Amino acid sequence: MAMEIDGATDEMQKFNPIPPASVTATNGASAGGGMPEGAAFAEAEAAAAQELAKFVTDVRTGFAAFANAVAGAAAEYLRGDATGADSIARSAQALPPMFQGGR
Amino acid sequence: MAGYTGVPFETQCTLMQATVPLAQLATSAAEMWRAAKAELSKSAGSLRQNLTHLENAWLDQAGQAAQASGRESCASIDSWTQRIDGTVASLTGLATLITDTATAFEKLEQRLTSATNAAQLAQLLLELQQEGGALLDTLARKFQEVTGKLAGAKGNPWRGPGNSSADRAPSASSGGAGAMRTASASTGGGNGPSAASSAASSAASLGGTASAGATDGTGSVPPDLAGEPTLQGLESSGLSPQPTLPQLPQPAATPTSQPLAPLISPLGLGGGGGGGVRPVGGFRGGVAVPGLRLGGGTKSVAQAAAPIATTAGEGASGQQPPDPSQPTAAPRGGASTGGMSPMAPMMGGRGSGGTPGPGDAQRAPSGRGAKPSPTPGLPASLRGKSGERPAFTPIARPARREQTEDIPTGQRLDEEMWQVTKAPLKKLS
């Protein structure tokens, strides 16, 4: 069974989710000379902020890729539409007149 | 945890003064996490909204794959935002506690001024050491709690488009979301102008891809394509999915029925190039054109296409399409299309060569189309003398061996030494 193509390209082209704003990691305050537990906290906070910033960057990249992919799929659908129509039209022109009047 | 009650009060004050700046760090961090949650929540909501709009607009397999990928993306975002509230609360509480502890230490230091003599001062210092130590112990526990909270603040990695790791490891539950998928397409049905699109499109980087073909990134064929011979051939050949249509041959037809192929072939509609009439291997099913319906399919023309059908034919045989000028090549290629009629081996063998190419429409068919290729695929018993001829008439080896008779050197092959009846050997003896 052939697969079905069913996509409203105009709606697909509108696909544009809003990406999150970039996250700026906090300025690491110096905990030198303070409580050792405070220094451990500062390190954990810096690492977590870095992870968060990376994730947000991944989301931003992913959203852009997602939007491009959907838009690209819509473009492919439209291109396939045109290519298929042209091909069929050329084939129809090559048919002898006896086949051009319908079946 | 080290008990701070054993630390002299003066040292406690020094530690506290150096720790106070961390209150600002905790406050800034809490603000950063809060802002990040707002941004991520907004983006997740926007993605869900876009997916909802797309849910009723993109209904084919590629659209479903996109929905699955989008849901995974939202889930990964949620895994972060759900933890952020707890992280922010911990950071805010820490900042408050640091500030409160610093204020408490200021009050403890002010009590030192109340001592009037050394004995009172020594006694007071011991009291302040205990009180200050208890405050620092409490603060140390809070630090440790928040540190643990930050270690667990990380959510799941991003899953969805743009993440190579997600593409490589699709989840089994989503049936390929996050994986490269191709969904092919020759469609039927006339759902308006949009339904005229027959070529499947590619959405490779999103988890769901619709393009000619019908394989996903793992090389498996979706179950609903199990009956599609051209797509099965693509799987068995191990070909990678074709990401974009431009790399594929011209769209041909919907693979719904067989009768059209023998009908169109003699009309010379098929392949381009090479001159002569080429069978239209690509036209496997019914083709409906404006004013003409062939093949008995109920699908409208605009749905034609599935160019992958030709690609599958090539991939299954693992060879280039045979040249139509060489009749012997056709039966070999025919193996890629089981079920083809023995009377039309060229149709199956062509596999991919039958799609119309540029300029084909302008080339007038030659006569009724049967003469240029005299007997392709006919059984030997029906070929007459032409069927008895070898494919290649010039035979090089015998000619070369006969020349050895004229060479006077006397060097012979072993087998020739035993041919005692031949004249050259008699001369030697």
Side-chain angles (χ1 to χ4, degrees):
Chain A
M1 173 181 158
M3 287 204 49
E4 185 176 338
I5 291 301
D6 191 351
T9 53
D10 53 347
E11 289 294 331
M12 293 165 67
Q13 288 171 333
K14 292 178 185 175
F15 184 85
N16 188 27
I18 302 172
S22 298
V23 169
T24 302
T26 53
N27 294 325
S30 172
M35 299 170 65
E37 295 84 358
F41 155 76
E43 289 180 6
E45 194 280 331
Q50 201 168 10
E51 293 281 354
L52 176 63
K54 179 182 179 303
F55 178 73
V56 172
T57 301
D58 287 346
V59 173
R60 290 170 57 83
T61 304
F63 271 41
F66 211 146
N68 286 338
V70 175
E76 290 289 344
Y77 279 28
L78 293 173
R79 190 181 309 145
D81 229 351
T83 304
D86 290 346
S87 177
I88 296 300
R90 285 198 304 271
S91 298
Q93 290 174 1
L95 286 173
M98 61 179 292
F99 290 108
Q100 294 181 357
R103 192 177 185 181
Chain B
M1 180 183 68
Y4 284 96
T5 53
V7 177
F9 183 70
E10 286 186 13
T11 305
Q12 292 178 3
C13 290
T14 302
L15 287 172
M16 191 64 231
Q17 287 176 353
T19 303
V20 167
L22 293 180
Q24 181 59 37
L25 174 63
T27 302
S28 300
E31 184 58 34
M32 179 198 70
W33 284 91
R34 191 180 293 115
K37 181 190 177 184
E39 288 291 328
L40 289 173
S41 298
K42 177 191 69 179
S43 297
S46 175
L47 178 57
R48 285 193 177 92
Q49 190 175 14
N50 276 267
L51 288 171
T52 301
H53 290 158
L54 214 56
E55 198 171 13
N56 297 322
W58 194 5
L59 302 174
D60 56 25
Q61 185 172 350
Q64 293 171 2
Q67 290 287 334
S69 179
R71 283 192 292 271
E72 283 203 340
S73 298
C74 288
S76 65
I77 294 175
D78 291 344
S79 70
W80 282 79
T81 55
Q82 289 168 358
R83 292 177 168 92
I84 288 180
D85 282 344
T87 304
V88 169
S90 295
L91 289 167
T92 304
L94 175 63
T96 301
L97 184 60
I98 294 172
T99 303
D100 291 347
T101 304
T103 302
F105 263 87
E106 290 177 1
K107 291 179 179 176
L108 291 178
E109 289 179 287
Q110 288 174 358
R111 286 168 58 183
L112 287 174
T113 58
S114 63
T116 57
N117 53 49
Q120 281 186 336
L121 182 60
Q123 181 62 31
L124 187 57
L125 283 173
L126 288 175
E127 293 176 3
L128 294 177
Q129 178 178 332
Q130 294 301 313
E131 294 182 25
L135 290 173
L136 290 182
D137 284 345
T138 302
L139 182 58
R141 283 193 294 271
K142 185 65 176 177
F143 270 129
Q144 291 173 337
E145 171 199 329
V146 177
T147 298
K149 202 81 174 179
L150 287 170
K154 180 183 175 183
N156 299 329
W158 166 254
R159 289 192 62 85
N163 186 358
S164 58
S165 62
D167 289 342
R168 284 193 300 267
S171 71
S173 61
S174 65
M180 303 284 285
R181 262 185 101 101
T182 57
S184 166
S186 58
T187 72
N191 297 331
S194 177
S197 72
S198 55
S201 68
S202 100
S205 58
L206 63 66
T209 295
S211 109
T215 61
D216 57 20
T218 61
S220 64
V221 175
D224 55 345
L225 296 177
E228 176 58 62
T230 60
L231 300 174
Q232 288 176 335
L234 187 111
E235 179 198 24
S236 62
S237 67
L239 292 177
S240 60
Q242 299 293 327
T244 57
L245 278 174
Q247 303 171 359
L248 297 172
Q250 292 290 323
T254 54
T256 55
S257 64
Q258 294 268 354
L260 182 60
L263 174 63
I264 289 184
S265 176
L267 297 177
L269 290 178
V277 178
R278 296 179 64 179
V280 186
F283 281 87
R284 296 184 174 219
V287 172
V289 297
L292 171 64
R293 276 186 96 105
L294 296 175
T298 57
K299 320 274 184 179
S300 73
V301 178
Q303 302 301 323
I308 193 59
T310 60
T311 300
E314 292 176 1
S317 62
Q319 301 173 352
Q320 292 296 323
D323 189 346
S325 63
Q326 298 180 4
T328 55
R332 259 183 287 147
S336 65
T337 61
M340 294 294 292
S341 168
M343 291 301 293
M346 290 297 287
M347 302 298 298
R350 300 290 310 157
S352 65
T355 56
D360 288 345
Q362 285 74 30
R363 187 177 300 121
S366 58
R368 299 180 65 82
K371 291 182 179 177
S373 181
T375 57
L378 280 177
S381 61
L382 298 179
R383 290 181 182 175
K385 289 185 177 179
S386 63
E388 300 173 354
R389 293 174 191 159
F392 304 99
T393 50
I395 302 175
R397 287 179 182 265
R400 190 163 58 241
R401 189 170 293 181
E402 289 175 4
Q403 290 175 355
T404 61
E405 297 177 3
D406 300 328
I407 297 174
T409 57
Q411 293 182 354
R412 304 291 176 184
L413 298 175
D414 288 343
E415 60 176 306
E416 290 173 336
M417 294 298 292
W418 288 94
Q419 295 174 356
V420 296
T421 59
K422 287 194 174 181
L425 294 178
K426 289 179 179 178
K427 289 178 182 177
L428 288 174
S429 64

